[in-house]
């Protein structure tokens, strides 16, 4: 289904800084000319070590595939990339063959009509899907069809200062925010921490609390059967309960308001006994701590003790664009298979800290060497395996906007402008409005 212009305007209001023009800049090889090198464009949103890793993998692919040449093009942030996609007429004129899109863009990409599900090529190639981590593939699988190929996946972890915990006489980090209430004062009084938990105002963390509690965010099977019609996370007051605990921790100084950018800095400097961050942050965290204290990692905490759910992945996946050129699309599939090969994923993991999404990557010496250097990463692997497909998060083409709405209202609550009940009601109201705008414009309900 092709998205209408009205929806594009409504959905990009929260992230667009400027619009980037699109054109077919790639060199297209005719399907009937097998002697001509096929030129592919790969749009990505990786900077720093991720960009270096992308460039090296693309070089390795080009060196080993003389009839195909891939050009990697940095598009800016995830939001920048999807903004460019939203302004594309169709896949044929997009000028890209494979695009890295963040997890929140999944429902939009399915609805857009720009792509071909990778499941089509998995089936044609008789690819053994059991080689892909099932709890990662589950996020991008809708109605038993894998729409995009997972590539850079991560989950949130609880990072804790083992030295502070030892001084405080506490052996294990908390498994829930309720448990944190009891140990918080001891971490300050006996452990010497300035704050027990540096908790960033980040919508992803709120979403993970729903995964841990097993509560869906949207109707229509959390937006997985079809585009959601309603935001239902507060129907049973689950969101209000979550925000109430968060607010209590802030008022008690256990998890003080550090804004949308705080968290890792307070932890890395030794001020905070704990923080929450992506598993992909582990390498940078260890580098910045630099041996000042021993860093421990633990599973992401639930809000209430006894919650049985797991965590949902973040990060991004690779989408095949429907260029309507069989040779280019076949070549694109070869590139995607290369990017998820055990060798490529072991290297990617060593460069970035993202999960290797291919099971056999664990057999590679590069992966083994990296795990021996950074044993804290085993926690992320264990947490991934301890979760289940049912814990995967919701899907909505309005999700990125809803995440920003959530962050704004949590900030209002922590600043004392709203009660938890008022903040929860405001999130639900604005989220439903965003969903309605999208559905009305596109007829997706």
């Amino acid at each position: 289904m092709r998205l209408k212009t009205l929806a594009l305007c409504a959905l990009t209001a929260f992230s667009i800084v400027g619009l980037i023009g699109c054109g077919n800049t790639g060199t297209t090889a005719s399907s009937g000319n097998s002697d001509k090198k096929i030129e592919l464009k790969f749009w990505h949103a990786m900077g720093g070590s991720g960009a270096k890793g992308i460039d090296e993998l693309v070089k390795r692919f080009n060196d080993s595939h003389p009839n195909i040449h891939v050009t990697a093009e940095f598009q800016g942030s995830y939001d920048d990339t999807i903004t460019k996609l939203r302004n594309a007429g169709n896949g044929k004129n997009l000028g890209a063959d494979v695009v890295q899109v963040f997890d929140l863009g999944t429902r939009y990409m399915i609805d857009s009509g720009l792509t071909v599900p990778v499941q089509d090529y998995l089936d044609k190639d008789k690819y053994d899907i059991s080689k892909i981590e099932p709890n990662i593939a589950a996020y991008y699988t809708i109605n038993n069809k894998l729409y995009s190929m997972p590539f850079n996946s991560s989950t949130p972890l609880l990072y804790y200062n083992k030295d502070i915990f030892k001084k405080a006489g506490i052996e294990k980090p908390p498994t829930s925010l309720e448990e944190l209430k009891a140990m918080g004062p001891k971490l300050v009084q006996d452990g010497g921490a300035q704050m027990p938990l540096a908790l960033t105002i980040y919508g992803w963390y709120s979403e993970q609390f729903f995964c841990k509690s097993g509560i869906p965010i949207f109707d229509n099977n959390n937006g997985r059967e079809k585009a959601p019609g309603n935001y239902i996370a507060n129907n049973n007051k689950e969101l209000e309960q979550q925000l109430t605990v968060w607010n209590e921790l802030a008022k008690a100084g256990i998890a003080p308001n550090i804004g949308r950018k705080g968290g890792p800095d307070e932890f890395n400097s030794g001020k905070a006994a704990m923080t929450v961050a992506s598993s992909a942050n582990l390498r940078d965290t260890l580098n910045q701590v630099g041996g000042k204290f021993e860093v421990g990692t633990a599973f992401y905490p639930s809000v209430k003790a006894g919650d049985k759910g797991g965590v949902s992945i973040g990060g991004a996946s690779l989408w095949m664009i429907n260029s309507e050129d069989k040779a280019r699309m076949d070549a694109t599939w070869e590139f995607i298979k290369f990017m998820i090969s055990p060798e490529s994923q072991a290297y990617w993991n060593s460069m970035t800290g993202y999960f290797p999404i291919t099971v056999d990557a664990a057999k590679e010496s590069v992966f083994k060497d990296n795990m021996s250097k950074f044993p804290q990463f085993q926690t992320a692997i264990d947490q991934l395996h301890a979760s289940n497909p049912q814990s995967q998060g919701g899907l909505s083409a309005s999700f990125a906007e809803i995440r920003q709405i959530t962050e704004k209202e949590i900030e209002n609550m922590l600043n004392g402008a709203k009660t938890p009940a008022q903040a929860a009601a405001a999130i639900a109201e604005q989220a439903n409005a965003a969903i309605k705008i999208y559905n009305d414009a596109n007829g997706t309900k």
Side-chain angles (χ1 to χ4, degrees):
M1 177 189 63
R2 182 68 55 220
L3 293 180
K4 300 177 185 177
T5 303
L6 175 59
L8 307 184
C9 296
L11 286 167
T12 55
F14 64 93
S15 62
I16 295 178
V17 174
L19 298 180
I20 306 172
C22 300
N24 188 354
T25 58
T27 302
T28 304
S30 169
S31 299
N33 184 359
S34 59
D35 295 330
K36 189 174 181 180
K37 181 175 286 191
I38 298 174
E39 296 284 345
L40 302 179
K41 291 289 182 69
F42 170 32
W43 287 0
H44 70 89
M46 295 282 95
S49 60
K52 293 178 181 177
I54 291 280
D55 289 343
E56 174 61 24
L57 288 173
V58 168
K59 180 181 183 300
R60 292 181 184 184
F61 177 83
N62 288 336
D63 289 345
S64 60
H65 293 75
N67 295 325
I68 306 171
H69 182 268
V70 176
T71 300
E73 296 183 344
F74 176 65
Q75 299 299 311
S77 68
Y78 286 139
D79 278 341
D80 292 335
T81 303
I82 207 163
T83 294
K84 194 169 184 178
L85 288 167
R86 283 175 172 143
N87 288 279
N90 54 51
K92 183 178 180 180
N93 296 317
L94 181 61
D97 299 278
V98 58
V99 182
Q100 180 193 35
V101 177
F102 67 158
D103 55 328
L104 294 192
T106 300
R107 185 78 249 178
Y108 168 78
M109 294 300 288
I110 292 172
D111 293 345
S112 71
L114 291 170
T115 68
V116 173
V118 296
Q119 187 71 52
D120 293 357
Y121 280 81
L122 290 169
D123 294 343
K124 288 179 185 177
D125 216 15
K126 294 182 172 55
Y127 187 93
D128 185 1
I129 198 169
S130 68
K131 296 295 185 181
I132 301 172
E133 284 279 2
N135 289 341
I136 295 179
Y139 186 91
Y140 301 103
T141 300
I142 297 89
N143 296 326
N144 298 314
K145 179 180 289 190
L146 186 66
Y147 275 83
S148 60
M149 186 61 72
F151 177 62
N152 56 301
S153 298
S154 61
T155 58
L157 291 176
L158 181 70
Y159 292 71
Y160 67 102
N161 184 321
K162 285 191 172 184
D163 293 6
I164 289 177
F165 271 72
K166 187 177 293 185
K167 289 178 183 177
I170 300 174
E171 294 185 0
K172 296 181 180 180
T175 59
S176 70
L177 297 184
E178 288 184 345
E179 188 180 345
L180 175 61
K181 288 182 183 179
M183 69 173 62
K186 197 171 182 62
L187 289 169
V188 174
Q189 295 164 10
D190 299 334
Q194 292 185 25
M195 66 181 76
L197 174 65
L199 182 58
T200 314
I201 299 175
Y202 186 19
W204 190 41
Y205 300 155
S206 174
E207 295 153 23
Q208 295 293 341
F209 288 137
F210 289 121
C211 294
K212 296 287 285 191
S213 65
I215 300 297
I217 299 174
F218 306 107
D219 61 1
N220 295 336
N221 191 25
N222 223 358
R224 292 183 169 272
E225 291 178 1
K226 59 180 181 178
N230 290 286
Y231 177 94
I232 63 172
N234 202 41
N235 288 8
N236 60 356
K237 302 299 182 183
E238 181 70 23
L239 176 59
E240 182 180 333
Q241 293 170 19
Q242 176 192 127
L243 296 186
T244 296
V245 174
W246 194 328
N247 198 46
E248 289 173 352
L249 292 175
K251 286 186 174 180
I254 295 174
N257 181 9
I258 55 172
R260 303 192 196 193
K261 295 184 178 180
D265 287 346
E266 286 81 357
F267 177 77
N268 296 343
S269 66
K271 295 178 180 178
M274 292 171 284
T275 193
V276 171
S278 168
S279 55
N281 286 29
L282 178 56
R283 186 73 42 75
D284 287 341
T285 296
L286 294 172
N287 289 339
Q288 291 182 34
V289 169
K292 293 193 296 289
F293 57 85
E294 186 177 359
V295 176
T297 53
F299 283 16
Y300 187 80
S302 59
V303 174
K304 304 183 296 297
D307 283 346
K308 303 296 184 182
V311 292
S312 178
I313 61 166
S317 61
L318 305 180
W319 290 81
M320 292 184 66
I321 300 300
N322 185 6
S323 64
E324 302 180 16
D325 184 313
K326 183 179 183 302
R328 278 173 60 187
M329 293 172 68
D330 288 349
T332 297
W333 173 238
E334 290 303 314
F335 175 63
I336 288 176
K337 283 195 297 182
F338 176 87
M339 295 295 276
I340 65 164
S341 67
E343 298 85 357
S344 294
Q345 281 294 300
Y347 169 76
W348 178 244
N349 165 259
S350 71
M351 282 293 291
T352 64
Y354 283 111
F355 290 119
I357 68 101
T358 308
V359 175
D360 287 345
K363 300 176 183 178
E364 298 291 319
S365 59
V366 171
F367 176 82
K368 293 176 181 178
D369 292 344
N370 189 57
M371 288 296 289
S372 67
K373 293 178 183 177
F374 305 104
Q376 295 94 335
F377 192 75
Q378 185 62 46
T379 305
I381 301 290
D382 293 343
Q383 180 176 237
L384 176 69
H385 292 161
S387 296
N388 53 58
Q390 291 70 41
S391 296
Q392 297 309 308
L395 298 178
S396 170
S398 306
F399 214 157
E401 182 177 5
I402 292 169
R403 179 176 286 181
Q404 291 201 8
I405 290 167
T406 301
E407 291 169 1
K408 179 189 69 176
E409 295 302 340
I410 290 176
E411 197 166 44
N412 286 337
M413 175 190 74
L414 296 180
N415 287 332
K418 290 183 178 178
T419 66
Q422 290 170 336
I427 291 169
E429 180 181 359
Q430 293 172 73
N432 276 318
I435 292 170
K436 186 176 187 303
I437 289 172
Y438 178 85
N439 288 342
D440 287 349
N442 298 287
T444 55
K445 185 175 181 180

